[in-house]
């Protein structure tokens, strides 16, 4: 069923995927609104990108809360206050509290820079993923967008895009090419979720 999406993007670093989602909303490719950008890292450039587009920002670090429950409760309050109904992880490097996963079941998606189920799981993020692809001698890699559940990188796959690994590739050159694909696939997929073409149920 088509539902107007109110998106929260969680990001920890540069936020180039956040930018792709912002641009997708601005161009009309995604019929939705980004209502919040949350980061665990006050220096994340994602926060600046959000401010440039007048999107509400929030910095939340679990270590600033007395308990994990208190952190989860505050996060739930912040999301409910803005009537968020889709959470997009875009290079977010922290575990999502179980309580948030339960409350937003099938409403949290993640982008991963490899072809899951290959090269996923704990410790598999950013450049480490591309190092693992090259070390394994894979001939192709790519991007996966998937639902988030309690297990790292294991939720249902919603979309994938493939790219060849070339002979002279380093983790860095591979990362650049995969990132270009990410910037296409993330807005495309969120656009399809917004239009109802991809169902999360
Ligand atoms: C992206 O390549 C994203 O796929 C990856 O972090 C990068 C963030 O870049 N995420 C993971 O590795 C999750 N396991 P960005 O901050 O420029 O969007």
């Amino acid at each position: 069923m088509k539902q107007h999406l109110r998106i929260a993007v969680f990001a920890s670093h540069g936020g180039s995927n956040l930018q792709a989602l912002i641009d997708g909303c601005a161009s009309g490719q995604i019929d939705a609104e980004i209502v919040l950008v949350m980061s665990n890292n006050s220096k994340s450039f994602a926060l600046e990108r959000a401010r440039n587009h007048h999107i509400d920002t929030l910095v939340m670090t679990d270590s600033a809360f007395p308990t994990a429950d208190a952190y989860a409760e505050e996060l739930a309050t912040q999301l409910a206050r803005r009537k968020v109904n889709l959470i997009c992880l875009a290079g977010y490097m922290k575990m999502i509290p179980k309580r948030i996963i339960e409350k937003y079941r099938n409403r949290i998606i993640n982008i991963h820079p490899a072809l899951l189920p290959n090269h996923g799981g704990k410790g598999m993020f950013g450049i480490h993923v591309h190092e693992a692809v090259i070390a394994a001698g894979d001939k192709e890699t790519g991007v996966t967008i998937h639902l988030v559940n309690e297990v790292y990188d294991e939720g249902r796959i919603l979309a994938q895009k493939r790219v060849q690994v070339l002979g002279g590739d380093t983790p860095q050159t591979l990362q650049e090419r995969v990132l270009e694909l990410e910037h296409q696939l993330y807005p495309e997929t969120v656009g399809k979720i917004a239009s109802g073409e991809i169902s999360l149920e």
Side-chain angles (χ1 to χ4, degrees):
M1 191 186 73
K2 191 174 182 307
Q3 178 191 31
H4 181 70
L5 292 183
R6 295 178 58 82
I7 300 174
V9 180
F10 292 5
S12 299
H13 296 300
S16 68
N17 278 292
L18 162 67
Q19 189 67 53
L21 294 176
I22 291 174
D23 295 345
C25 290
S27 73
Q29 183 186 19
I30 307 172
D31 181 14
E33 193 183 344
I34 300 174
V35 295
L36 178 67
V37 171
M38 194 282 268
S39 187
N40 58 304
N41 169 13
S42 61
K43 296 195 170 60
S44 167
F45 191 59
L47 295 167
E48 181 122 359
R49 294 182 192 270
R51 284 186 214 110
N52 288 341
H53 293 269
H54 311 288
I55 298 169
D56 233 358
T57 60
L58 182 66
V59 176
M60 277 187 67
T61 322
D62 51 0
S63 58
F65 289 81
T67 62
D69 271 357
Y71 164 72
E73 189 174 330
E74 175 61 15
L75 185 53
T77 302
Q78 295 285 352
L79 295 170
R81 179 177 295 162
R82 295 170 178 90
K83 298 188 170 56
V84 167
N85 53 17
L86 182 72
I87 299 170
C88 295
L89 308 185
Y92 186 64
M93 298 299 156
K94 287 273 176 183
M95 196 76 187
I96 305 296
K98 195 162 175 276
R99 173 173 170 175
I100 301 289
I101 293 180
E102 279 164 4
K103 188 158 178 223
Y104 290 86
R105 178 75 60 198
N106 296 341
R107 289 270 141 200
I108 310 177
I109 64 174
N110 180 44
I111 186 159
H112 186 77
L115 295 173
L116 291 175
N118 299 333
H119 309 299
K122 204 166 162 41
M124 275 297 158
F125 57 88
I127 197 76
H128 303 299
V129 177
H130 307 294
E131 284 165 357
V133 167
I134 288 181
D138 292 356
K139 295 280 170 275
E140 62 172 10
T141 183
V143 182
T144 303
I145 295 174
H146 65 96
L147 282 170
V148 171
N149 63 18
E150 284 80 355
V151 188
Y152 266 117
D153 298 328
E154 271 202 14
R156 176 161 68 87
I157 291 173
L158 301 171
Q160 283 187 318
K161 241 186 166 82
R162 291 165 188 274
V163 68
Q164 255 193 306
V165 180
L166 305 175
D169 264 328
T170 63
Q172 286 73 19
T173 59
L174 207 50
Q175 184 175 43
E176 268 173 41
R177 286 212 311 290
V178 170
L179 202 54
E180 264 177 46
L181 279 192
E182 294 185 43
H183 298 160
Q184 293 166 22
L185 191 63
Y186 217 177
E188 193 180 300
T189 305
V190 176
K192 287 181 183 172
I193 293 168
S195 71
E197 193 179 324
I198 292 180
S199 165
L200 300 184
E201 302 311 324

